[in-house]
Amino acid sequence: MKLLVGFNNKIYPGVNEFKSIGTCKFINYNQQSILKYIASCDIFIPHLREPIDNKILKYAKKLRIIATPSTGKDHIDENELNKRNIKLITLFEDRKFLDKISSTAEMNWLLILSCIRNFRFLIDRIQKEKKWTNSDIRGYELQGKTIGIIGFGRLGKKIAKYAETFGMNVLVYDIKKIKHKKKYSFVTLNKLLESADIISMNVKLNPTSRQMISFEQVNKMKKGVIFVNTARGDTVSSRALIKGLNSGKIESIGIDVCNNEYSSSYLPNDPLITKSFTDKRIIVTPHAGGATHDAHNQVFKKLSDLIKINISNKKI
């Protein structure tokens, strides 16, 4: 088996797990350089900065498996894979394993804390302004506030537990019917938008969640709300959030995901990023939620195991 691995094994030593499957080529590719290697590989482990579509797959004559080290798969054209009889493996296949990884949930909580305590202002007060005053950049406590969690899957449940620990009231909205938990209030989306001091976006990207938060939903939000998104950029309208920020409807925004992310290592073309250059009320991180040494080592080992299972079961 020949494997093309989209990660440098010196930076990501965990990817050396794939050597137990076959001969590996480790390359931190872009769309041009991948064409040099994709034709000869049987298994492809992509990074998340390029779309895997017909432009690439038409050259992948031998490819039998794409194994992505992620739960999301919006960077991969599944219809094209099906046409070419290429098996797609994702981490979503093992929920018990995913429950053990908290990196993205912790990043989500970091953004919440950073927004409510005006962290960009606090850092710049020292690093740029060289001052020690803080009376004009005070934030708020989380205790007693109401958090609205949109999407009550693996990450939404972790966020709810963190919020409970911080003494917050928890509102939950999910499109699926979920067994009621007395300590959390399951409400309609409109009720959540109207009541939450902090809104946490934790849905999977699918046809029902795409652009789920647009101008209409922003208008229904409580004045002074904090909005955090670690799900996918396409679940929200960036322009709607900016309008809410400009009007005072939204107090601050924390995002780890953006629209138009899959463009190599270039900054995504998203108006929220552009506005963040001049507006400290917006905190943007580069889709780093799952990017910890702990998570990567576990993820690459699990992905290697899943590939081996598919091979042994002759699913390729």
Side-chain angles (χ1 to χ4, degrees), residues 49 93 122 130 138 170 191 211-212 237 242 274:
R49 298 186 302 277
E93 297 178 31
L122 295 173
K130 314 298 184 189
R138 289 170 294 170
V170 179
K191 177 66 175 176
Q211 294 292 291
M212 186 177 185
S237 164
I242 289 172
T274 304

Side-chain angles (χ1 to χ4, degrees), residues 124-141:
D124 285 352
R125 179 57 49 92
I126 302 300
Q127 299 299 323
K128 292 184 177 181
E129 300 173 34
K130 314 298 184 189
K131 294 180 179 178
W132 196 247
T133 57
N134 62 41
S135 58
D136 58 325
I137 51 176
R138 289 170 294 170
Y140 295 90
E141 293 181 350

Side-chain angles (χ1 to χ4, degrees), residues 28-269:
N28 189 16
Y29 61 84
N30 57 29
Q31 198 169 82
Q32 288 72 43
S33 64
I34 190 178
L35 302 182
K36 181 178 178 181
Y37 302 101
I38 193 71
S40 62
C41 74
D42 304 289
I43 300 170
F44 178 31
I45 294 91
H47 58 52
L48 307 182
R49 298 186 302 277
E50 291 285 347
I52 308 302
D53 52 20
N54 184 51
K55 292 179 182 177
I56 289 174
L57 294 172
K58 66 182 180 181
Y59 296 99
K61 303 301 183 182
K62 294 178 60 182
L63 192 63
R64 290 293 172 263
I65 290 179
I66 289 183
T68 178
S70 62
T71 55
K73 48 189 177 180
D74 52 310
H75 56 301
I76 297 171
D77 188 336
E78 285 192 85
N79 290 331
E80 198 63 36
L81 295 192
N82 293 333
K83 289 179 188 177
R84 299 174 184 279
N85 197 29
I86 298 171
K87 170 72 176 177
L88 176 62
I89 298 173
T90 75
L91 295 174
F92 195 72
E93 297 178 31
D94 193 331
R95 299 307 300 273
K96 288 184 178 179
F97 165 74
L98 291 173
D99 285 341
K100 299 176 184 177
I101 297 178
S102 60
S103 296
T104 302
E106 291 175 8
M107 173 63 84
N108 196 118
W109 202 253
L110 172 63
L111 288 172
I112 289 172
L113 284 168
S114 297
C115 284
I116 202 166
R117 294 304 300 270
N118 295 326
F119 209 60
R120 278 192 70 183
F121 290 89
L122 295 173
I123 293 293
D124 285 352
R125 179 57 49 92
I126 302 300
Q127 299 299 323
K128 292 184 177 181
E129 300 173 34
K130 314 298 184 189
K131 294 180 179 178
W132 196 247
T133 57
N134 62 41
S135 58
D136 58 325
I137 51 176
R138 289 170 294 170
Y140 295 90
E141 293 181 350
L142 286 177
Q143 184 170 270
K145 301 294 188 298
T146 296
I147 186 170
I149 300 171
I150 302 177
F152 203 59
R154 175 179 64 94
L155 294 177
K157 290 182 175 70
K158 288 184 184 296
I159 298 304
K161 288 182 180 178
Y162 298 166
E164 186 182 4
T165 301
F166 274 73
M168 301 182 72
N169 306 309
V170 179
L171 301 181
V172 175
Y173 169 76
D174 195 288
I175 195 169
K176 295 180 181 178
K177 290 184 178 179
I178 299 173
K179 189 176 180 181
H180 239 51
K181 298 196 177 207
K182 291 182 180 179
K183 56 187 173 182
Y184 307 138
S185 297
F186 288 76
V187 297
T188 64
L189 180 58
N190 284 346
K191 177 66 175 176
L192 183 149
L193 296 173
E194 294 166 359
S195 306
D197 301 300
I198 298 164
I199 296 174
S200 179
M201 200 72 179
N202 302 111
V203 296
K204 276 188 68 180
L205 181 63
N206 54 40
T208 61
S209 66
R210 194 175 295 276
Q211 294 292 291
M212 186 177 185
I213 303 298
S214 193
F215 293 93
E216 179 183 354
Q217 289 73 38
V218 170
N219 287 337
K220 292 178 180 177
M221 291 179 184
K222 185 177 180 179
K223 184 175 174 58
V225 70
I226 288 169
F227 187 89
V228 168
N229 184 14
T230 59
R232 282 294 186 271
D234 285 345
T235 61
V236 306
S237 164
S238 294
R239 297 193 183 281
L241 293 182
I242 289 172
K243 183 179 178 182
L245 193 69
N246 289 340
S247 70
K249 174 72 74 169
I250 298 175
E251 178 75 20
S252 59
I253 298 169
I255 56 172
D256 187 46
V257 289
C258 292
N259 290 281
N260 306 309
E261 279 197 37
Y262 308 120
S263 55
S264 295
S265 56
Y266 299 104
L267 281 177
N269 181 19

